[in-house]
Amino acid sequence: CDKYKTGVIDGPACNSLCVTETLYFGKCLSTKPNNQMYLGIWDNLPGVVKCQMEQALHLDFGTELEPRKEIVLFDKPTRGTTVQKFKEMVYSLFKAKLGDQGNLSELVNLILTVADGDKDGQVSLGEAKSAWALLQLNEFLLMVILQDKEHTPKLMGFCGDLYVMESVEYTSLYGISLPWVIELFIPSGFRRSMDQLFTPSWPRKAKIAIGLLEFVEDVFHGPYGNFLMCDTSAKNLGYNDKYDLKMVDMRKIVPETNLKELIKDRHCESDLDCVYGTDCRTSCDQSTMKCTAEVIQPNLAKACQLLKDYLLRGAPSEIREELEKQLYSCIALKVTANQMEMEHSLILNNLKTLLWKKISYTNDS
């Protein structure tokens, strides 16, 4: 708020946060000090408030992220920067993160529209500084790119590098969340059994699963390149009261170009050293002792791995065998396979069709 009042930062949430005090912070959802996330209410609408406490991805992998360094946070763009110069800065950032794609200028214009928080047709220096800080975060970038997609939470507003997104009623595939202190003491085997007891009915699980498959389609060779899901655990997914899947946490969904730059040439002793997040794995080239750039498993294979037990438990007997077969074909997908894209589309469509056919005449559809 000090930075807002001195004009360093700006954004549509600043006035509510700092002047009228109509943006409230509720329950803290963070489990680590560098990950600030709260349930919140903004002008009587529920939301999730997130604040960037982590450095950008170029830190050493495996090291604990440090709290933000205030000195460098809102240093760009500097006073006197023209809108054209700011557009060039954003374009260069996207080129480094997303690769050299023909339609990056469209995305730059989209960002300028989002950055213009007060919708006066101009981007002020405070708005530009806030947008620049937010664009270092993959989740924010992905929310802008996929803003019209059903399974991406809507961006409600921002102030500096704090942003508010729509809240999701259920914040795990399993519909049960415990305080993190309790989570620490529950053995993983017991937790899995507990999760299975608290799932929705099978047709509703099928609808949620279709949502995840559709999200995989959204990020696979979307309008601005391919994004890789590097943590496909159930806690990053949620759903609303209509059982439509919504992503809860997209911080570990990274542009493929960006990840390749980060992981290639990293020193390794074995494949275990070539992992980003929990799920993006490349291999260790033993001749050079460096990680290769190609991620082994596509997003779809990881999504099917997550859905296997979820969908097979309680599946109707008439489709169980076919469902199991399709899920195992999906899990076996490799990025390096010939005609991977064709196989990917075929498996994804077959799975969606099988599930839709089973639930299309029920109330859950």
Side-chain angles (χ1 to χ4, degrees):
C1 286
D2 291 341
K3 286 184 166 58
Y4 168 57
K5 284 164 186 168
T6 53
V8 176
I9 60 170
D10 204 347
C14 289
N15 191 57
S16 303
L17 182 69
C18 305
V19 182
T20 60
E21 296 185 1
T22 49
L23 173 54
Y24 300 100
F25 286 67
K27 179 185 173 188
C28 175
L29 304 173
S30 315
T31 55
K32 291 180 180 166
N34 55 16
N35 161 22
Q36 294 283 309
M37 185 158 68
Y38 302 85
L39 285 178
I41 293 180
W42 183 11
D43 291 341
N44 298 321
L45 286 173
V48 173
V49 185
K50 294 189 176 184
C51 189
Q52 199 234 135
M53 297 292 282
E54 57 193 322
Q55 294 296 89
L57 279 175
H58 55 254
L59 276 183
D60 288 342
F61 291 74
T63 58
E64 195 57 38
L65 298 170
E66 301 167 27
R68 73 223 222 131
K69 295 183 172 63
E70 285 288 356
I71 319 103
V72 297
L73 191 53
F74 300 111
D75 60 336
K76 289 180 184 170
T78 51
R79 187 168 294 284
T81 304
T82 61
V83 170
Q84 186 53 40
K85 185 70 187 159
F86 181 58
K87 283 172 97 167
E88 287 166 19
M89 281 171 62
V90 174
Y91 187 91
S92 299
L93 177 72
F94 288 164
K95 197 170 167 183
K97 271 189 177 240
L98 303 170
D100 197 358
Q101 299 184 52
N103 56 357
L104 288 186
S105 302
E106 284 171 36
L107 184 55
V108 173
N109 290 331
L110 184 59
I111 289 298
L112 260 67
T113 309
V114 173
D116 178 17
D118 55 9
K119 303 296 172 221
D120 65 351
Q122 295 175 319
V123 178
S124 68
L125 182 63
E127 288 171 336
K129 281 179 183 285
S130 300
W132 182 256
L134 287 163
L135 287 175
Q136 312 309 310
L137 308 176
N138 287 312
E139 179 169 71
F140 184 83
L141 177 57
L142 205 55
M143 266 196 293
V144 173
I145 289 174
L146 300 177
Q147 61 182 354
D148 298 326
K149 300 292 185 183
E150 182 188 352
H151 306 296
T152 308
K154 296 286 171 271
L155 176 67
M156 293 166 69
F158 61 88
C159 178
D161 64 341
L162 172 149
Y163 56 104
V164 189
M165 54 203 267
E166 70 170 308
S167 71
V168 178
E169 200 153 341
Y170 302 96
T171 53
S172 165
L173 282 184
Y174 297 101
I176 179 170
S177 57
L178 298 167
W180 67 273
V181 179
I182 297 172
E183 291 274 14
L184 291 175
F185 296 102
I186 295 181
S188 57
F190 181 65
R191 174 74 222 221
R192 276 197 297 276
S193 313
M194 233 170 81
D195 281 339
Q196 295 294 359
L197 287 173
F198 288 93
T199 52
S201 64
W202 190 85
R204 287 170 173 170
K205 286 195 291 189
K207 190 179 180 190
I208 294 165
I210 289 166
L212 178 56
L213 296 173
E214 287 172 347
F215 180 78
V216 168
E217 276 182 298
D218 291 342
V219 296
F220 181 68
H221 294 317
Y224 305 102
N226 191 22
F227 280 74
L228 298 169
M229 297 168 73
C230 294
D231 184 356
T232 42
S233 53
K235 69 181 187 310
N236 293 333
L237 315 171
Y239 54 94
N240 61 18
D241 55 355
K242 295 187 177 74
Y243 299 91
D244 296 316
L245 176 108
K246 294 278 183 185
M247 299 304 292
V248 175
D249 192 338
M250 301 191 293
R251 285 172 307 148
K252 285 288 191 285
I253 301 178
V254 295
E256 184 175 27
T257 308
N258 198 194
L259 186 70
K260 283 182 172 178
E261 282 304 310
L262 289 161
I263 211 160
K264 72 169 189 189
D265 300 332
R266 186 163 136 204
H267 176 75
C268 59
E269 303 289 329
S270 73
D271 291 355
L272 295 173
D273 298 319
C274 302
V275 182
Y276 173 69
T278 52
D279 293 326
C280 284
R281 300 165 190 281
T282 75
S283 48
C284 181
D285 183 342
Q286 291 297 325
S287 60
T288 60
M289 305 305 273
K290 297 276 173 71
C291 293
T292 58
E294 287 302 322
V295 171
I296 296 161
Q297 253 195 328
N299 294 334
L300 183 59
K302 293 179 277 196
C304 287
Q305 182 74 54
L306 175 66
L307 292 172
K308 179 172 71 74
D309 293 342
Y310 189 70
L311 280 177
L312 290 176
R313 185 184 171 89
S317 54
E318 62 273 22
I319 66 158
R320 188 186 164 88
E321 194 177 326
E322 176 61 22
L323 180 60
E324 191 167 13
K325 194 171 88 182
Q326 288 196 23
L327 284 166
Y328 277 107
S329 300
C330 176
I331 291 165
L333 266 177
K334 291 275 184 287
V335 168
T336 49
N338 288 337
Q339 300 178 307
M340 195 282 284
E341 295 208 12
M342 195 186 292
E343 209 179 330
H344 185 283
S345 299
L346 197 63
I347 286 174
L348 199 145
N349 287 330
N350 286 347
L351 256 174
K352 272 170 60 180
T353 305
L354 180 69
L355 294 171
W356 263 127
K357 264 170 76 176
K358 193 64 206 160
I359 65 168
S360 56
Y361 299 111
T362 67
N363 294 337
D364 302 291
S365 65

